[in-house]
């Protein structure tokens, strides 16, 4: 029996307990297991010039992510999928508040990329009730821009979220956002702009995107979920979304599309976010992330 | 392995008045921390002192024992060192009536 390179690589990955739970494309661009630290995930800070007062309030609310053992008041640390730590992104305790963590890269090749991650979410467990509608949403996005020599010059921002609850209703569905938000100048230097792409308006449903995720039975127990998002940098089109046992139809999906900016060529940013539906902190926990590319 | 180290900005351009505190920061992996407070603007009145607080759960807080003067002039920095703090950290202050301070608060954490 002869095996080709792809089969050997696949067999090695399947034999590696850390990678076996992922289905990466040929080349792993980043494998972030938060038992190894923050792995380059940082706070999404808003743009400013001259004074921090110029920062959009939607960004000003952000704060730094944490390495968390998912500690609970009633039984102690929950731990990660396969170790002690996960990346924790937590909102402030104000309905509608959001927090975002980001990893900033650039790409080498315009082709298919695959984002896979294991996640869970919970509100702050400060009430003795299930609290399953306290987290509004968890989501993720890419912030991409074509190369400086490419014929098409666009900044492309695919946004997806799992809308868990809205105004107390347990909605549980996947959504996307393609609506551009207006740009505004920051400061007087004409070098910096801001646009609040995570503004709460303009989200649209993914067809057939309802999904009842395992939530467990008290506000402190969590179960980890798998998510996969496929995107083609060549066409700047989304090609697949899966969560646990479900695969979703992205034929109606689109991304925010903005004329290229002068300083963001080949940008490959990925970000996770969480929003709270009540005056209670909401947290998104990411155990591990695998970003891979077909090159 | 290098020791894990992290700088975390937990309050940026926030105006503190009255009872004020940073958001809970979870850092059970760290064995030592320094918290810096920088005044981004001149304080209004005398802001007084801040204290380090610990928590078993991120919801119930108790004074750790460290306390330090809050900065008064724009650009002034004050700090406190903390070790053996468990998992959760925050700083809190009770500014006197009429006092206000715009803060930048940064934790420097090390395994």
């Amino acid at each position: 029996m002869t095996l080709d390179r792809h089969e050997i690589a696949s067999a090695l990955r399947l034999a590696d307990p850390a990678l076996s739970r992922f289905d990466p494309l040929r080349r792993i661009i980043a494998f972030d297991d938060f038992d190894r630290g923050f792995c380059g995930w940082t706070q999404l800070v808003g743009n400013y010039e001259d004074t921090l007062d110029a920062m959009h309030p939607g960004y000003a609310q952000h704060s730094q992510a944490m390495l968390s053992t998912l500690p609970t008041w009633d039984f102690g640390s929950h731990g990660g999928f396969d170790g002690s730590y996960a990346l924790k992104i937590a909102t402030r305790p104000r309905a509608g508040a959001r927090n975002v963590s980001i990893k900033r890269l650039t790409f080498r090749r315009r082709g298919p990329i695959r984002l896979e991650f294991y996640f869970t979410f919970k509100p702050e467990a400060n009430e003795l009730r299930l609290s399953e509608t306290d987290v509004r949403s968890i989501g993720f996005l890419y912030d991409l821009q074509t190369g400086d020599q490419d014929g098409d010059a666009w900044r492309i921002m695919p946004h997806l979220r799992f809308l868990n609850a809205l105004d107390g209703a347990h909605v549980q569905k996947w959504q996307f956002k393609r609506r551009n938000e207006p740009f505004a100048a920051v400061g007087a230097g004409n070098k910096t702009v801001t646009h609040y792409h995570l503004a709460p308006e303009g989200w649209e449903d993914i067809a057939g995107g309802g999904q009842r995720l395992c939530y467990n039975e008290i506000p402190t127990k969590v179960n980890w979920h798998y998510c996969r998002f496929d995107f083609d940098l060549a066409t700047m089109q989304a090609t697949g979304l899966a969560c646990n046992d479900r695969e979703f139809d992205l034929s109606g999906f689109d991304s925010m599309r903005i004329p290229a900016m002068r300083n963001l060529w080949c940008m490959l940013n990925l970000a996770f976010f969480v929003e709270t539906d009540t005056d209670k902190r909401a947290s998104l926990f990411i155990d591990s992330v695998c970003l891979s590319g077909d090159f | 392995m290098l020791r894990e180290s992290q700088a975390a900005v937990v309050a940026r351009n926030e105006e503190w008045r009255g009872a004020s505190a940073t958001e809970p920061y979870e850092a059970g992996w760290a064995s030592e921390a320094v918290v810096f407070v920088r005044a981004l603007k001149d304080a209004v009145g005398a802001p007084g002192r801040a204290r380090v607080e610990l928590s078993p759960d991120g919801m119930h807080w108790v004074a750790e024992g460290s306390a330090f003067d809050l900065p008064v002039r724009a650009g002034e920095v004050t700090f406190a060192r903390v070790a053996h703090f468990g998992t959760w950290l925050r700083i809190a202050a009770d500014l006197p009536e009429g006092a206000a301070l715009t803060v930048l608060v940064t934790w420097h954490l090390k395994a």
Side-chain angles (χ1 to χ4, degrees), chain A residues 43 53 65 68 92 281, chain B residues 6 12-14 23 25-26:
Chain A
Q43 176 180 174
D53 293 342
S68 173
R92 292 164 192 267
R281 295 178 181 89
Chain B
Q6 178 76 354
R12 179 185 47 245
N13 204 27
E14 291 183 11
E23 283 294 287
Y25 201 80
E26 190 188 331

Side-chain angles (χ1 to χ4, degrees), chain B residues 16-98:
Chain B
W16 281 11
R17 291 178 181 271
S20 303
T22 54
E23 283 294 287
Y25 201 80
E26 190 188 331
W29 56 271
S31 58
E32 58 184 72
V34 181
V35 62
F36 295 95
V37 181
R38 172 151 68 101
L40 294 178
K41 299 171 183 170
D42 287 343
V44 177
R49 287 168 72 77
R51 61 189 178 275
V52 174
E53 293 191 339
L54 309 182
S55 172
D57 52 19
M59 299 182 289
H60 301 85
W61 295 92
V62 60
E64 183 266 351
S66 302
F68 59 104
D69 289 339
L70 286 166
V72 176
R73 297 287 167 215
E76 185 183 350
V77 177
T78 61
F79 72 96
R81 295 189 180 94
V82 201
H84 204 160
F85 48 78
T87 298
W88 295 95
L89 285 166
R90 76 173 186 181
I91 61 167
D94 295 300
L95 278 67
E97 190 169 341

Side-chain angles (χ1 to χ4, degrees), chain A residues 110 146-152 265-266:
Chain A
R110 283 185 65 176
T146 51
D148 67 341
Q149 300 298 306
D150 292 343
D152 52 343
W265 305 108
C266 291

Side-chain angles (χ1 to χ4, degrees), chain A residues 36-38 43 45 52-53 55 59-60 62 64-69 71 73 85 88 91-93 124-126 281, chain B residues 4-14 23-29 40-41 56-59 87-88 104:
Chain A
R36 290 189 289 107
F38 286 87
Q43 176 180 174
V45 67
L52 290 174
D53 293 342
M55 190 181 298
Y59 294 113
H62 294 169
Q64 189 78 331
M66 304 169 231
L67 290 181
S68 173
T69 61
W73 71 268
Y85 292 104
K88 172 181 177 175
T91 72
R92 292 164 192 267
E124 190 169 53
N126 57 11
R281 295 178 181 89
Chain B
E4 180 70 24
S5 174
Q6 178 76 354
V9 171
V10 292
R12 179 185 47 245
N13 204 27
E14 291 183 11
E23 283 294 287
Y25 201 80
E26 190 188 331
W29 56 271
L40 294 178
K41 299 171 183 170
D57 52 19
M59 299 182 289
T87 298
W88 295 95
L104 180 74

Side-chain angles (χ1 to χ4, degrees), chain A residues 7 28 31 45 75 85 87-89 94 102-103 121 193 227 247 277 292:
Chain A
E7 289 171 319
I28 293 172
F31 173 51
V45 67
F75 63 89
Y85 292 104
L87 187 74
K88 172 181 177 175
I89 306 162
R94 184 181 63 250
I102 187 167
K103 183 181 179 91
F121 56 87
V193 296
C227 187
E247 297 208 9
D277 200 52
S292 56

